[in-house]
Amino acid sequence: MDTLLLKYKTVKEAEVKVWFKAAPVSAFPKDGGACVKYKDLQIAVFNFSRLDKWYACQNLSPEKQEMVLSRGMLGDHKGIPKIACPLHKKTFSLETGENLNADLAPIAVYPIKIEAENVYIGFSE
Ligand code: FES
């Protein structure tokens, strides 16, 4: 597997060692995404305001390895919140990272929390 993809690994809430303060809530469009940098990672952060939820995942689309997922389209797949890559519309669960409409590898997803109007992403290192 490409080394760029290997940098991204799903972090479970129990594994969080660092809550990285990404930006104020107001920096993220409603029902849209934005890209945040943490070390050498690009993380797509989504303000899914229709569901009143926030999600974070790798910005890298695993198919063509472009940093594009933050510009994707939010949606719903049988009750699972998903992001569709803007390039070829492959979709991924924002909860587990699973590819929902093809057999691509899952994307990495990260814990996210809002505190005092700021967005924090959880990392294990
Ligand atoms: S590059 Fe993302 S679906 Fe093809």
Side-chain angles (χ1 to χ4, degrees), residues 11-72:
V11 176
K12 304 234 186 300
E13 188 113 18
E15 299 165 344
V16 171
K17 293 207 177 77
V18 180
W19 282 106
F20 172 67
K21 188 178 183 177
V25 164
S26 59
F28 299 89
K30 287 193 169 163
D31 292 311
C35 177
V36 168
K37 279 195 145 188
Y38 175 73
K39 296 185 175 172
D40 60 348
L41 303 180
Q42 285 194 30
I43 306 296
V45 172
F46 299 100
N47 174 6
F48 209 151
S49 58
R50 204 149 43 81
L51 302 180
D52 198 21
K53 291 227 171 117
W54 290 75
Y55 295 99
C57 68
Q58 69 186 48
N59 194 28
L60 184 70
S61 174
E63 192 176 54
K64 293 281 186 228
Q65 310 214 2
E66 301 274 351
M67 294 292 187
V68 291
L69 291 181
S70 65
R71 294 189 274 117

